[in-house]
Amino acid sequence: MAHEQSTLDQGPWYRQGWAWFLLTPLIVIVLVMAGYISIAVKLSDDVVIDNYYREGRMYNERLEQDHRATALAMRAELDFDLETGEVFLQLSGAELPASLVLVLQHPTEADLDQTVTLAATGQGNYRGDLTLSVNFSRYLLLFPGASASERGTAPWRLKDKIDFQASHAVILQATEKQTADQ
């Protein structure tokens, strides 16, 4: 009888090999999943910000501002001085506001987006300062106003894309072809 009792009582459960054999895969799975969840939260996809509205299961873009820019014959020549961080803009068209807002959107990282307020320096000329250095490609959105919150209510907008590795200047111009394609 004493011999049977000694084989059954080998100490606490955490000193048993079979317990760690069963618990090790579970502990590894919990640690790996915690790592995956933290990566998913930190590197989540950014939300698309533009004039879109949801209708059923589809997202549609509002183009009224683009059509108005075409009707006003709005055209903007942007020139970026990457050494000083200045943005120069020459605007032509039927409407020349006191200030403009230029939004530079990074294709994948919202943390690299920036908004530049361009103040009028003369007839059709505007100037602003970049807050971050820019490189590679950016989506550009230009509209009249004093802040980015006026994006949806602006009377017109111009948009395009620039690759800073190829050029530091771009012409934003709304055409009937652009608004029809979108």
Side-chain angles (χ1 to χ4, degrees):
M1 198 64 141
H3 179 62
E4 281 183 31
Q5 197 174 21
S6 68
T7 58
L8 295 176
D9 188 20
Q10 295 179 1
W13 69 269
Y14 54 86
R15 293 199 181 185
Q16 304 292 325
W18 61 268
W20 290 109
F21 178 73
L22 293 174
L23 288 176
T24 301
L26 297 174
I27 293 170
V28 169
I29 288 171
V30 168
L31 293 175
V32 169
M33 290 309 296
Y36 281 148
I37 290 171
S38 66
I39 289 171
V41 168
K42 287 181 185 175
L43 302 177
S44 64
D45 291 336
D46 295 323
V47 179
V48 174
I49 300 174
D50 207 346
N51 275 346
Y52 290 93
Y53 65 94
R54 186 172 182 179
E55 183 176 306
R57 291 183 173 236
M58 295 175 39
Y59 286 93
N60 299 308
E61 185 175 11
R62 292 188 179 104
L63 300 174
E64 295 88 16
Q65 293 172 320
D66 299 335
H67 293 301
R68 177 105 169 106
T70 302
L72 293 171
M74 301 307 293
R75 182 176 191 269
E77 295 180 30
L78 273 166
D79 188 22
F80 294 87
D81 187 346
L82 299 181
E83 289 185 21
T84 62
E86 294 177 297
V87 180
F88 300 100
L89 182 134
Q90 185 175 11
L91 184 67
S92 60
E95 186 178 304
L96 299 175
S99 65
L100 296 168
V101 176
L102 175 66
V103 179
L104 292 97
Q105 294 177 325
H106 190 274
T108 58
E109 295 292 327
D111 296 343
L112 299 176
D113 292 353
Q114 60 181 303
T115 303
V116 178
T117 302
L118 302 167
T121 59
Q123 187 64 19
N125 294 318
Y126 297 82
R127 185 198 162 284
D129 293 314
L130 295 171
T131 55
L132 303 169
S133 64
V134 290
N135 51 11
F136 305 113
S137 66
R138 295 285 193 277
Y139 294 109
L140 304 174
L141 179 63
L142 180 72
F143 55 92
S147 70
S149 63
E150 299 175 33
R151 175 185 313 205
T153 60
W156 56 266
R157 73 173 179 180
L158 297 174
K159 62 182 187 174
D160 207 339
K161 181 179 174 182
I162 186 171
D163 184 1
F164 287 104
Q165 291 181 323
S167 175
H168 296 182
V170 66
I171 296 175
L172 306 175
Q173 182 173 356
T175 63
E176 287 298 329
K177 182 183 181 312
Q178 279 182 321
T179 55
D181 288 346
Q182 299 171 354

